[in-house]
Amino acid sequence: MTALADRLHAFFGRFTSATHKDVEGLVAAIEQHLVPVIRGAVHDALTTVEADGKSLLDQLKADETKLATAVAAEVAKLLGHGPVEPPTAGGAA
């Protein structure tokens, strides 16, 4: 905080007679207000990303199963065999 307070004091010192202690108090007040707000926003963003990631993973697994079934059916057709059983959820045929 002191580096930020030093820089702000140097900046504000050009325009006002604010003391370094005043600037430190301002920085502390801002930090006390912003830190919880920023943490909340980051938590909300991470929660959303996690939900989106899980949804995407579920969709990829469903697409993988569909693709495996389609490939197995096509290979069976090419080899002249009848329909094949779709793969299990674990991916084993």
Side-chain angles (χ1 to χ4, degrees), residues 11-74:
F11 176 74
F12 288 135
R14 296 179 193 164
F15 309 106
T16 68
S17 60
T19 66
H20 195 271
K21 187 172 181 161
D22 293 335
V23 174
E24 284 181 341
L26 177 64
V27 170
I30 290 170
E31 285 178 341
Q32 285 178 342
H33 177 72
L34 287 182
V35 167
V37 171
I38 291 170
R39 282 187 181 145
V42 168
H43 178 267
D44 292 348
L46 290 175
T47 301
T48 301
V49 167
E50 180 183 22
D52 290 349
K54 286 180 180 179
S55 176
L56 180 59
L57 185 59
D58 291 343
Q59 183 62 46
L60 287 172
K61 286 178 182 177
D63 291 348
E64 179 185 30
T65 300
K66 289 177 188 175
L67 180 61
T69 302
V71 168
E74 192 64 29

